[in-house]
Amino acid sequence: MRSIWRTLDRGLARDIALVCLADGVVGLSYGAISVGGGLPLWVPILLSIVVFAGASQFLFVGIVAAGGSPIAAMVAGLLVNTRHIPFGLAVSDVIGRGWKRWPGSHVMTDENVAFAMGQDELERQRAAYWAGGIGIFVCWNIGVVIGGLAGSVITDTDVFGLDAAFPAVLMALVLPSLRDRRTRTAALVGVVIALVATPFLPAGLPVLLALLGLLCYRSDKPAVEEATR
Amino acid sequence: MTNTPLLLVGIGVLAVGTFSLRFAGPALRSRFEVPERIQQLLAVAAIVLLTALVATSALTDGHGPAGIARPAGVLVGGVLAWRKAPFVLVVVAAAATAAGLRLLGVP
């Protein structure tokens, strides 16, 4: 673990800390919304520890608090989390081998995957992934407990604009990767597909469908060109 | 109000299922030697997914559009990120823009 902190430079460490803090605040609202919606405190807390995937947790408590079946909530949550399969394939080397795959997989989030993809050396990718994952896990869960205990005091973090902060965080993290023209084309085609599909498909599927944008990715350029860039 | 055993089953299956989805990638990759080109394609796949996530979470809410305040906030954050502004500024500006617009009554 110590090598992780040594590899992180101050700028990167500060960025990661900021995302952890923001996640903690969203966790606060999630805990408050759940308890405010009539669920016992242990439900949001248990979900945060064993599921640890924000979007699917919001969806789960939303459906159950509205009187929906926990089974329907579970199916919806799983659907939203299917994007973790391609994420796992992409960051497998970053997570490492052996026992590390277990905790490493559990702390996989959109944010730390994006942080890792934004670094160019494996060592730095590892440091960013692990520091981000562990930091977010800790902050998110602390936030959820505090929010749940605070009950219905803070139920709407939209007032603070946090719903806009999240896409902005991810955008800032992926922008450097989009400088590559071929990646950008694939991503833009994916965006169009996802947006067009959103009104018609259940949550989670449109984003997955964006992978069709990869069909527009040409990876057959000679390696020489990459090297001289 | 809620059936506790059923709730526990729902949470349990969601937890096991989500972990399996996350674990599938690393588990598969450790069994096969993956060619360089496929590895590159997987990295691009992650970027495509994240970009789509940015677009859908910025522009949509449920099955409909997300209003004006949120996309405007994300746009401000995005432009700042593009101009290589410090990360802190990107986050704060995006949130402040959306919050400010809402304060003015913009949805």
Side-chain angles (χ1 to χ4, degrees), chain A residues 75-86:
Chain A
V75 172
L78 282 177
L79 208 53
V80 173
N81 290 340
T82 42
R83 68 178 184 283
H84 287 102
I85 298 177

Side-chain angles (χ1 to χ4, degrees), chain A residues 47-82:
Chain A
L47 275 166
S48 286
I49 295 169
V50 301
V51 178
F52 185 54
S56 67
Q57 290 179 229
F58 270 109
L59 204 56
F60 189 97
V61 298
I63 292 173
V64 173
S69 149
I71 303 303
M74 171 205 90
V75 172
L78 282 177
L79 208 53
V80 173
N81 290 340
T82 42

Side-chain angles (χ1 to χ4, degrees), chain B:
Chain B
M1 59 173 276
T2 326
N3 180 342
T4 303
L6 194 62
L7 200 53
L8 280 172
V9 169
I11 294 173
V13 178
L14 179 58
V16 172
T18 301
F19 184 82
S20 310
L21 294 168
R22 283 174 168 144
F23 197 69
L28 285 172
R29 284 288 296 276
S30 66
R31 302 244 174 111
F32 308 101
E33 197 53 52
V34 184
E36 190 90 356
R37 272 184 51 172
I38 303 291
Q39 291 198 22
Q40 193 198 358
L41 205 61
L42 287 171
V44 177
I47 298 299
V48 170
L49 279 176
L50 287 166
T51 311
L53 207 56
V54 169
T56 50
S57 57
L59 302 172
T60 68
D61 197 353
H63 293 289
I68 293 162
R70 191 198 300 170
V74 178
L75 184 68
V76 169
V79 169
L80 285 171
W82 178 53
R83 304 298 299 174
K84 303 219 170 112
F87 195 72
V88 185
L89 196 63
V90 171
V91 177
V92 173
T97 305
L101 286 172
R102 286 190 183 121
L103 213 60
L104 297 172
V106 179

